[in-house]
Every structure is written in structure tokens, then in C-alpha cells.
Amino acid sequence: EVQLVQSGAEVKKPGESLKISCQVSGYSFTTYWIGWVRQMPGKGLEWMTMIYPGDSDTRYSPSFQGQVTISVDKSISTAYLYWSSLKASDTAIYYCARRGSGMKAWDYWGQGSLVTVSS
Amino acid sequence: QSALTQPASVSGSPGQSITISCSGTSSDVGGYNYVSWYQQHPGKAPKLMIFDVSNRPSGVSTRFSGSKSGNTASLTISGLQAEDEADYYCTSYSSSTTLYVFGTGTKVTVL
């Protein structure tokens, strides 16, 4: 069974760093793209970034380039999203998702990680 | 990179059919058959309903169908049911970013 399990809720202060995770199971981690999506409170979905774990090919949305860093640890089948300096506007739910095989769509999703940034 | 344009809300009575549009450009919706649709219930993760314009994943009701004409894709829900009440988002691959872009989202209300 394919599963994407994300790290838990975080409460941080502005300026702090944060890394959230997405651990996958049930499939070959290195052969499927993993993406991250932001959903701000009461708002729509936004693509942030994606990575191909096999060779670490990485893409960023212009809106998020330089604001976050995506990475993977193949040894534990885990993808990460990292902020070096959080802002209040980073408060949101973050979802990871897998791009399916034979399709250009995202077929499995994590449960979401709530990040709250407040002084 | 601008979001794809969807109507903010669409409503229908049980049993009726509704259609949600998703308008983009030749760099995204119009340029590729890589449009997919997601259903999101409150407090839940998105769920894939249609991939590559018109294909249904295993387990998704046949009441959901997708199509595309030019720069506009559409999701049709036939035989509307109470459980279909949710937010719906389209997404497409975009050559301008080599990433994906979401639609603005549509709230479907079952009257």
C-alpha cells in the first residue's frame, strides 16, 4: 500500500528555521517525482516545488524560488521542505504528493503538515 | 506564473449535472494533455479525480468526467450527490515554469 506520511504540526517564531518531512512507503522512492503544495488558511492550493529522488532533478515555482529548499534522503525514503528563516506569511498547511506512473498527475498525497509562524 | 481560472462556485440539485471550467494558456492547459482534477473536502488532503484531461483513476466514480478544448479544460459531475459537495481544483503542467500550476478552485454546493 502506497503511503506518504508527513511530520506533525509545528509552531515557530518568525526568523526561525524549519524542516518538515514526508516519508513514503509501498513503492520505489527513487522512481517517482515528489512535490510540495501550500494551502494558506482558507485559500487555494499552490505548487511550490518538486524533486525526482533518483537524480535530485529539482524544480521551483518562481514564487517560492529562494524561499524554500526541497531535498531527499534516499536511505530512508523521505523528502523534506526547509525554510531558513520563517515569516508569519508561511503559516499554512503543506502537503507532499507523488506524481503517478504513466500519468502527469499526483495520485497519492500526504495528510498535510500544519505550520504556524507567530511571535 | 498566474493561476488557472476557475469559477469561484457552482451549485446544483441532487441528480443534476454540473460543469467546472479551468482556463489557462497555450503554455499550460492548451499546450499539453496534462490537466488533472482534485477534490478536497474540508480538513482533508486533495484526492485525484481525473488525470491527463479525461482519465479516471481506479475507484473514482464514472459520474466524473473531464475534457479539454483549446486553452480550457472542464470537469463534469453527473448525477450530483451530497457527497460531491467539496472544493475542486484543476492543475496543469506549465512549460513556463517546468512545474505545475493550480486553478483558483471551485466550491461545489449541492442544493
Side-chain angles (χ1 to χ4, degrees):
Chain A
E1 179 193 9
V2 173
Q3 287 190 308
L4 283 69
V5 179
Q6 298 185 226
S7 49
E10 301 271 4
V11 180
K12 292 288 192 179
K13 291 181 170 21
E16 292 186 330
S17 64
L18 175 66
K19 180 183 275 190
I20 61 175
S21 65
C22 172
Q23 185 167 39
V24 315
S25 60
Y27 73 94
S28 174
F29 178 63
T30 57
T31 56
Y32 291 79
W33 286 86
I34 288 277
W36 287 96
V37 172
R38 182 176 79 175
Q39 188 166 39
M40 298 176 76
K43 302 298 184 183
L45 304 172
E46 300 172 89
W47 279 110
M48 301 175 69
T49 179
M50 66 184 195
I51 190 168
Y52 188 75
D55 60 8
S56 293
D57 184 5
T58 301
R59 318 282 171 83
Y60 289 93
S61 164
S63 301
F64 294 95
Q65 179 84 48
Q67 308 304 308
V68 296
T69 303
I70 191 172
S71 63
V72 298
D73 184 335
K74 291 187 279 189
S75 69
I76 54 172
S77 299
T78 299
Y80 300 97
L81 189 65
Y82 172 75
W83 293 261
S84 60
S85 181
L86 287 160
K87 310 181 195 60
S89 58
D90 292 319
T91 295
I93 297 173
Y94 294 88
Y95 294 100
C96 63
R98 183 191 86 160
R99 197 175 82 175
S101 173
M103 65 171 71
K104 297 291 195 276
W106 303 81
D107 58 353
Y108 285 90
W109 292 69
Q111 82 276 20
S113 296
L114 174 62
V115 174
T116 303
V117 184
S118 174
S119 55
Chain B
Q1 174 65 46
S2 299
L4 307 176
T5 302
Q6 298 180 229
S9 62
V10 173
S11 61
S13 299
Q16 286 187 329
S17 293
I18 61 169
T19 297
I20 303 167
S21 60
C22 170
S23 296
T25 70
S26 58
S27 296
D28 39 65
V29 174
Y32 307 90
N33 288 326
Y34 298 153
V35 176
S36 50
W37 290 89
Y38 301 83
Q39 176 192 65
Q40 187 181 34
H41 286 110
K44 300 294 187 182
K47 175 187 175 184
L48 177 64
M49 305 302 285
I50 294 288
F51 68 92
D52 298 354
V53 176
S54 59
N55 297 283
R56 260 187 321 275
S58 174
V60 171
S61 171
T62 56
R63 299 185 297 104
F64 291 84
S65 61
S67 62
K68 190 186 86 167
S69 177
N71 294 339
T72 300
S74 299
L75 173 72
T76 298
I77 309 174
S78 58
L80 201 60
Q81 298 180 0
E83 69 208 47
D84 301 331
E85 188 161 290
D87 294 325
Y88 291 82
Y89 296 90
C90 61
T91 192
S92 172
Y93 175 78
S94 169
S95 60
S96 58
T97 62
T98 67
L99 189 65
Y100 287 75
V101 58
F102 274 111
T104 48
T106 299
K107 182 175 182 58
V108 168
T109 301
V110 181
L111 301 171

